[in-house]
Each structure stands twice: as structure tokens, then as C-alpha cells.
Amino acid sequence: MIIAADALFHAGRLARGWLRTSGERVEDAGFGDAPGRADERVAGVLAPGFVDVHCHGGGGAAFGTDDPDDVRRALGVHRARGTTTLVASLVTAASDTLVAQLRLLEPFAASGELAGVHLEGPWLSRRYKGAHDESLLADPLPERVARLVDAVPGLVRMVTLAPELKGAVESVRLLSERGVVAAVGHTGASYRQVRDAVAAGASGITHLFNGMPDLRHRSPGPVLGGWQSDAFLELIADGIHVDLDLVRFVMERFGHRVVLITDAMAAAGAPDGDYVLGALPVTVSGGVARLTGTETIAGSTLTLDAGVRTAAEAGVPLEDALRSATELPAAYLGLRDVGTFAPGRLADAVVLDDRLEVVRVLRRGAWLS
């Protein structure tokens, strides 16, 4: 199949071009006239399918569940909005609960519906816990980390931990040896502790600015530690978690390693109301999720297409916003089959109109609608 597009996002550029697929894979892509008669013509932007590496759910359902239909519902909501690759994030829970959730998610990863699992907790700072159950937080002792990560071999792709906790640096090394991304987050770590974690193998900062102390002139902490490292920087571009002028600044300065994420909870793609994140009650009002009765933000109601639109509306060049939702998250987690239109990658794509709204989604060479 050959798809001709008014604007193809490919190799960092946005220009008239084409995509050629064969079965589930990309054969080639380029700019200018298509090399043959086009089977489809796209009036708008044709970009690789979005890659969301930090997402807890959507459509009223969470990935931390005992019901596989919840997983299907959450996947469907994000896929319809252009996210063709998704990593399921689990919040802090008891170890046996997390193991049960991992086992439930394993078939979805085996079939390619999920790209793996992200453990956001329980190895987090109590002070910067956010919407995590404090009673279940624990130090990331290597034996504990190994036991949980190895419970379902090959499933866990990323672990967020606070590097100031006992055993953290050793666990970062352990995760790196297993090919699991270690990300610094929900942390009160000093600048030096973050740099030490990165030196030990940590390669990401979980939702930069959120779940960590502010950047201060005498204690720059995780923010400067992340900026002055080579770690990927996750950003929630919903205009709620991070001021949009700051989103633009970070993407202008560090765009080659900024990863747009949703951190979406169950209310993404669903109405305002009462929800649960892990075991904690959440109230969503005006699209903002907070722990019930508090001002603590509890994830987002974002989908990644909206994150791209918001970043672009904030003044980020569209090419940079798209790269941070496709190529860079794939690079962050080492997902070699997705994120670009390079030959041999999966034929995943999203069509956006002139308002950057999703028109069509291609997954593994087949249109979803």
C-alpha cells in the first residue's frame, strides 16, 4: 500500500511525501511524489503512531485491574486517539497485588497489544508520593526489586524509583543489567544523588517537575540533575501539570530528549466524576484529577494527541512535538519496531487534520476506521 500525504512527518521533517507499507511493516517513506500510484491520499499530517510510555488507563478503566476487559477498554480509548504503542503503568500496591496485575497484563504484551509494563512504585519518597498509598511505600532493596521485576520475566520495561532511598543505586544497576529502564521520580533527591543514579544507569526522569521539589538556587535537586544529565525528560503537556511557557522552554532547550507522556488515569476519555487510582479515591472535575478532598493531582485525563496539540499551541514547533510523541519515547524504552517510518518498522501511523485532531489511525498496516 502507498499512502500519499500533504504533510509527512519523517526523519525530523514535515513536508509533502509518501509512505509505502507491505503487510504489517514499513517498506519505505520519502518526500515529494509517491513512487507509483497512491492507494490512499491524506489531506493533513501523516505521522508515525504515537508512543505513550507512561499511562495508567482510560475510558473509565485502569491497567491495575483484575479484569482483562478493563485493559481492552483503556487500550481502545488511547488507540482511537493515535497511540498505537502503549506501556501500561501500575501504581503502588502490595507485592502480591502487583504480581497478580503483571500476570494479567502478560498476555497483552505477548500479543503486542502492550509494549510492556512500567512500575511506578512502591519505591518512592513518602514526601513526594503524590497519588500513591504511603503505607505501601518501601525502600528499593535490590532483592525486593529483583523479585518483583522477575515475577513475569521480560514484562517490566521501566521502573520509577527515588534515588535517595536505601538500596536505590544498587537497584538501578540491577535494572540496567536486566535491560529495564530505571527512571528517577517521586523523589526528594539532591542534585548529586540524581547525577549518581544516572551514572549508575538511570536513563529517565519521571514527569519532570511533578513529584519532586522545585528548582531552588541553593538546592537545585532533581530538576537541574535531570537537565544536566543525558537522561530522557518526561513531560505532561496538559497545561495543568506544567506551565506551558515552561513546557516550551524545556522543549526548546532539551528537545532532543524530551518525551511527552500522558500519565493518564482511568478518567482519560471519560466524564468527570469519582474514580480510583490504585486504592485511593480520585475526583475529576473540569478534566483535572485530584485525590478526593485534596489539591494533590492524581495523574491526568490527557491523551497523547491532546498533548501534541497543547505543546504546539504553546509555541513548540510541530516537528518537535511529534518527535517527542513518537521517535523519542521509542528510543527512551528501546522500542525498535516503532516510533519512525524507517524500513522494517511496524506500519503504525496517525492522520491529523489542520487542527491536529485525529482523523484516522493505521496499526500494523491496517486502518482502524
Side-chain angles (χ1 to χ4, degrees), residues 1-4 18-21 34-41:
M1 177 170 63
I2 296 177
I3 306 169
W18 51 272
L19 172 69
R20 183 170 59 207
T21 69
R37 182 177 178 180
D39 301 288
E40 300 268 357
R41 292 191 176 275

Side-chain angles (χ1 to χ4, degrees), residues 203-220:
S203 57
I205 307 295
T206 294
H207 45 52
L208 183 70
F209 303 113
N210 302 115
M212 60 186 65
D214 296 336
L215 176 65
R216 298 180 65 84
H217 62 296
R218 292 194 183 93
S219 53

Side-chain angles (χ1 to χ4, degrees), residues 193-332:
Q193 286 169 325
V194 172
R195 296 302 302 273
D196 288 346
V198 172
S203 57
I205 307 295
T206 294
H207 45 52
L208 183 70
F209 303 113
N210 302 115
M212 60 186 65
D214 296 336
L215 176 65
R216 298 180 65 84
H217 62 296
R218 292 194 183 93
S219 53
V223 174
L224 189 64
W227 285 358
Q228 292 197 329
S229 72
D230 58 0
F232 286 93
L233 308 173
E234 297 181 9
L235 273 182
I236 308 172
D238 61 355
I240 298 163
H241 284 75
V242 183
D243 182 272
L244 292 181
D245 288 328
L246 186 54
V247 168
R248 185 178 65 252
F249 168 80
V250 172
M251 294 191 73
E252 287 173 350
R253 180 65 179 82
F254 308 106
H256 61 290
R257 52 193 176 95
V258 172
V259 173
L260 293 179
I261 63 165
T262 64
D263 195 19
M265 45 82 72
D272 286 357
D274 295 324
Y275 294 87
V276 175
L277 182 58
L280 301 179
V282 174
T283 300
V284 178
S285 177
V288 181
R290 290 186 171 90
L291 290 182
T292 300
T294 78
E295 292 301 310
T296 300
I297 295 176
S300 86
T301 61
L302 191 66
T303 52
L304 208 45
D305 62 314
V308 169
R309 282 195 299 277
T310 302
E313 290 164 2
V316 175
L318 181 55
E319 295 91 336
D320 294 343
L322 288 171
R323 187 182 182 209
S324 288
T326 57
E327 178 185 347
L328 293 176
Y332 179 21

